[in-house]
């Protein structure tokens, strides 16, 4: 079974600053993807960024980037130039393929507060 | 936005009563999922479907059943609701390939269920 651990239940950052959210995972699978999802107070789940495990290059999406360390099984999310709209719960998720139904295995989440 | 709706959006029921939640999609995606979200647990997989009448269990399937008679609808049934099933329920859809590409899961708005 895969486990996903987010060790920071809550974090706070000032607007325009940079913050890094941590995620580690445990798996014996070779084929997998990693994701970060954002859940604002509206409760909608929004995909932030995705990383294919076979790619060494770290994924980036505008102000969001990841630091993927495959050997260490670490997948952290960096948010640059934080904005008030980034306030949300952030979930790290793991998906192996082609088995297990391409289902997501989530961490418990990190609540991020961006302050003015 | 992906065309996913969930009904009802809110429900209050009593212990021992049957409850059915509906997920409806207009994207013709093969895979559909039911997750529950509880404080301190993130999202956990209940059941998923990989085609009409093809379903499988997830991590927390006890006390739940599912059915998928049409591509667009995935029903989650609590045969006899218990207070431990008070939660927010999310439906998700995806259409991944064998290599896991196109694996983004799109989530519905969620259903808040309270069992008294």
């Amino acid at each position: 079974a895969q486990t996903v651990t987010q060790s920071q239940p809550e974090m706070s950052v000032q607007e325009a600053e940079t913050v890094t959210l941590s995620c580690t995972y445990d798996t014996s699978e070779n084929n997998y993807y990693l994701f970060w999802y954002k859940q604002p107070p509206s409760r909608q789940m929004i995909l932030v960024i995705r990383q294919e495990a076979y790619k060494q290059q770290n994924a980036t999406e505008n102000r969001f980037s990841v630091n993927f360390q495959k050997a260490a099984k670490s997948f952290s999310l960096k948010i640059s130039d934080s904005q008030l709209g980034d306030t949300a719960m952030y979930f790290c998720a793991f998906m192996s393929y082609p088995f297990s139904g391409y289902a997501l295995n989530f961490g418990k989440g990190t609540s991020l507060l961006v302050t003015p | 936005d992906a065309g996913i709706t969930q009904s009802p959006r809110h429900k209050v029921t009593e212990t021992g009563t049957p409850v059915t939640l509906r997920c409806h999609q207009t994207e013709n995606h093969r895979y559909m999922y039911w997750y529950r979200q509880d404080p301190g647990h993130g999202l956990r997989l209940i059941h998923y479907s990989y085609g009409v009448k093809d379903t499988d269990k997830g991590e927390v399937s006890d006390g739940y059943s599912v059915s998928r008679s049409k591509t667009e609808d995935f029903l989650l049934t609590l045969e006899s609701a218990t207070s431990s099933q008070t939660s927010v329920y999310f439906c998700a859809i995806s259409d991944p390939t064998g290599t896991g590409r196109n694996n983004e899961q799109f989530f519905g708005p969620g259903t808040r269920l309270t069992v008294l």
Side-chain angles (χ1 to χ4, degrees):
Chain A
Q2 293 86 18
T3 57
V4 179
T5 303
Q6 294 180 248
S7 58
Q8 305 148 316
E10 296 179 347
M11 294 192 73
S12 179
V13 64
Q14 281 195 317
E15 204 173 3
E17 297 296 309
T18 295
V19 64
T20 298
L21 309 183
S22 301
C23 174
T24 58
Y25 61 96
D26 187 21
T27 184
S28 58
E29 303 287 340
N30 290 320
N31 300 318
Y32 58 90
Y33 287 80
L34 295 160
F35 304 83
W36 280 97
Y37 276 86
K38 169 184 177 181
Q39 186 180 43
S42 67
R43 207 166 66 192
Q44 184 65 44
M45 293 290 289
I46 302 165
L47 177 65
V48 174
I49 200 164
R50 163 180 34 210
Q51 175 78 41
E52 294 93 330
Y54 63 87
K55 287 189 177 180
Q56 292 186 339
Q57 185 174 7
N58 290 325
T60 61
E61 287 288 344
N62 300 314
R63 297 183 294 107
F64 298 89
S65 61
V66 298
N67 183 5
F68 174 48
Q69 301 290 327
K70 189 172 183 179
K73 296 182 181 175
S74 172
F75 183 60
S76 60
L77 175 69
K78 185 171 81 172
I79 306 174
S80 304
D81 185 25
S82 296
Q83 301 175 358
L84 296 178
D86 295 333
T87 292
M89 281 290 291
Y90 286 82
F91 293 98
C92 180
F94 173 100
M95 186 203 81
S96 64
Y97 64 89
F99 306 111
S100 73
Y102 303 97
L104 292 170
N105 192 345
F106 287 89
K108 294 182 179 181
T110 296
S111 178
L112 177 67
L113 176 65
V114 180
T115 58
Chain B
D1 289 345
I4 311 169
T5 56
Q6 293 185 229
S7 58
R9 294 291 312 279
H10 302 271
K11 186 171 182 66
V12 180
T13 191
E14 294 189 349
T15 298
T17 60
V19 176
T20 295
L21 308 182
R22 180 184 184 231
C23 177
H24 179 78
Q25 62 146 327
T26 58
E27 305 297 322
N28 201 35
H29 281 10
R30 289 179 299 141
Y31 283 74
M32 299 185 75
Y33 307 84
W34 278 108
Y35 296 90
R36 61 176 288 175
Q37 182 178 20
D38 304 290
H41 286 278
L43 281 78
R44 293 178 292 174
L45 181 68
I46 305 172
H47 282 279
Y48 68 95
S49 170
Y50 48 98
V52 173
K53 298 186 179 179
D54 293 322
T55 65
D56 206 349
K57 296 179 180 180
E59 175 190 358
V60 291
S61 60
D62 287 349
Y64 301 94
S65 62
V66 291
S67 65
R68 190 170 179 198
S69 58
K70 297 184 292 184
T71 298
E72 57 266 35
D73 289 327
F74 192 34
L75 304 181
L76 177 70
T77 297
L78 292 66
E79 299 290 348
S80 178
T82 67
S83 58
S84 65
Q85 293 175 313
T86 292
S87 188
V88 178
Y89 292 84
F90 284 95
C91 174
I93 64 173
S94 72
D95 203 26
T97 64
T99 58
R101 293 199 179 97
N102 302 318
N103 54 28
E104 178 178 356
Q105 288 194 15
F106 300 93
F107 285 80
T111 293
R112 181 175 294 279
L113 175 67
T114 302
V115 183
L116 301 175

